[in-house]
Amino acid sequence: MTELSGLQPATLLVHGGIERSQHAETSEALFLTSGFVYESAEEAAATFDGSLTRYQYSRFGNPTVAMLEQRLALIEGAEACRVTASGMAAVHAALLCHLKAGDRVVASRALFGSCHWIVSTLLPRFGIASEFVDGTDLEQWRAALARPAALVLLESPSNPMLEILDLAAIAALARAAGAITVVDNVFATPLGQKPLALGADVVVYSCTKHIDGQGRTLGGAVLGRKDWITDTLQPFLRNTGPALSPFNAWLLLKGLETLQLRLDAASRSAAALADLLAGRAEVERVWYPFRPDHPQVALARAQMRDGGTLVSFALRGGRPAAFAFMNALRLTAISNNLGDAKSMVTHPATTTHMRIGAEERARLGIGDGVVRLSVGLEDVADLAADLERGLTAAGQAAAGAL
Ligand SMILES: *Cc1c(COP(=O)(O)O)cnc(C)c1O
């Protein structure tokens, strides 16, 4: 793939990682096979003793899956990548392959629900201590990393309040404590933020979100240095088996071809809709990373390419206003998913963040009036009209509640 070096991301998204078969097909070939055959017993033996590198079983590797891994690595600027059947399989593998009993993990509190569960509930069962900090407070990171740690896990922008964490500063503290830094880069996307260049060691994705971006498949990815991927992650993946289906890998390769176009369009609309929401009386507050009123706007502008496709906002009137808003929408779907071609809204307090409880929600600033909007590819004027409909209903509900 050396002939691809120096090319821009939009080009890599289309050409990166292609391995054509003997038929010289245009589109990436779909190798829908679980296994592979050998020319001879000697070839099989050489494959197993490692003297010959070739495909042997799709839990270990598959040509379609390998094209996706190669393309993702090129876009990320990572030495190596392995993909998994879901984003959570990627996070789980990245953590468990590196950790052992007696280790200590420090994580930002505002994590995706299942990531929070792994750190708070699963890891301690295996003798791995975990500690949460407020991700935007460097003093808390400094205090938690004053003692040795094995791994730091964080997410920026965070879900759903779009907090921005200082990736370079946290990665430096982690390194000094002996920890690797794993960044869940789902909200920022591989084009929007480069954690490895900022000092992180490992980046994880749910490819289910923007990378597919069309609601068709789950998928996950782990990226990092070649030695860590080959020596630490790969044995874990090969032997525990969260392998991505070749068909789903093929869907994700097709998704990547349009990633930049989709992200540019959706981010432009998201910035415009954030401004619209901020100007309305029904809205108490808007969180969008590139807006001047975002608490970490300078940091966001320094470490992200654009403000992203997600906007969160608090409606006056709490839950009745939020529900009235969502129920009045005709175009924007109610869904906990995000990063899709179709715009979606969710009420975190009663869905994605219901289980963490009122106290933890209050700590994270997830009020009952907060709505998270994932902006899709519809015409921005149609989306604006849809939001206006929702805001009118929210205003009426808020007035009724008084
Ligand atoms: C969706 C998501 C995940 C989990 O990915 P799945 O593909 O649903 O398993 C992890 N982290 C973040 C930030 C996500 O948005």
Side-chain angles (χ1 to χ4, degrees), residues 11 47 65 71 123 143 153 160 210 284 329 332 338 353 385:
T11 310
T47 305
V65 174
R71 187 170 296 176
L123 296 182
L153 175 66
H210 306 83
E284 197 173 298
L329 300 172
T332 309
L338 62 98
H353 292 71

Side-chain angles (χ1 to χ4, degrees), residues 85-91 111-115 155 157-159 184-187 204-209 217-220 336-338 372:
S86 72
M88 284 323 303
V91 174
L111 286 182
F112 184 75
S114 293
C115 301
E155 191 183 309
S158 69
N159 176 30
D184 181 337
N185 207 35
V186 168
F187 274 42
V204 290
Y205 288 102
S206 165
C207 301
T208 317
K209 312 296 167 54
T217 180
L218 301 179
N336 48 283
N337 202 3
L338 62 98
R372 186 194 73 194

